[in-house]
Amino acid sequence: STFAPYLRDHAMRVMARVVRNTLRDSDTIFQIRPGVIAAVLDDTAETGAVWAADRIRRALLDTPARDVVTMSAGLACYPSHAMEASVLIEVVDRALATARALGPGRIEVAAISN
């Protein structure tokens, strides 16, 4: 269903607050495009990134915004998934596309880049 823009905006603010409250001060959070928030987790291995994404997903389910916004996540780690930033962005974008295609609440880890 479609929600009024003010409801989506409020839900995204709730999502941003959940992300900020869940991650560490050393992590960086930013908006890539409308409806897409990215986080760069400082010195975090793949298992830690999956754990953090799942914590955010579960925390969002405890808010009223759960009826308006869902979280899907694509994850990639430097250097295991890619050595260059541009390649890392490509592989994480593909992982996010896969997560979104599989349905709400999915967390997908990127394929290893060659």
Side-chain angles (χ1 to χ4, degrees):
S1 82
T2 304
F3 292 94
Y6 73 91
L7 286 175
R8 284 193 311 269
D9 291 345
H10 176 71
M12 286 305 295
R13 282 193 298 279
V14 169
M15 174 69 150
R17 186 172 46 247
V18 166
V19 171
R20 268 194 318 273
N21 290 342
T22 304
L23 298 181
R24 304 163 297 185
D25 289 340
S26 61
D27 299 327
T28 304
I29 306 157
F30 53 98
Q31 183 172 333
I32 294 178
R33 56 187 175 264
V36 179
I37 296 172
V40 176
L41 307 183
D42 185 43
D43 195 26
T44 304
E46 183 179 309
T47 54
V50 170
W51 179 83
D54 189 53
R55 265 189 73 200
I56 292 166
R57 185 188 59 76
R58 285 184 283 117
L60 185 61
L61 291 173
D62 290 337
T63 71
R66 72 181 170 273
D67 296 329
V68 181
V69 67
T70 60
M71 187 198 98
S72 296
L75 304 174
C77 297
Y78 169 86
S80 58
H81 291 103
M83 294 295 290
E84 297 175 24
S86 61
V87 178
L88 193 65
I89 291 168
E90 288 174 20
V91 298
V92 78
D93 207 29
R94 283 196 297 268
L96 175 58
T98 300
R100 292 176 101 175
L102 293 173
R106 292 292 301 224
I107 299 169
E108 290 294 318
V109 176
I112 303 295
S113 177
N114 294 329

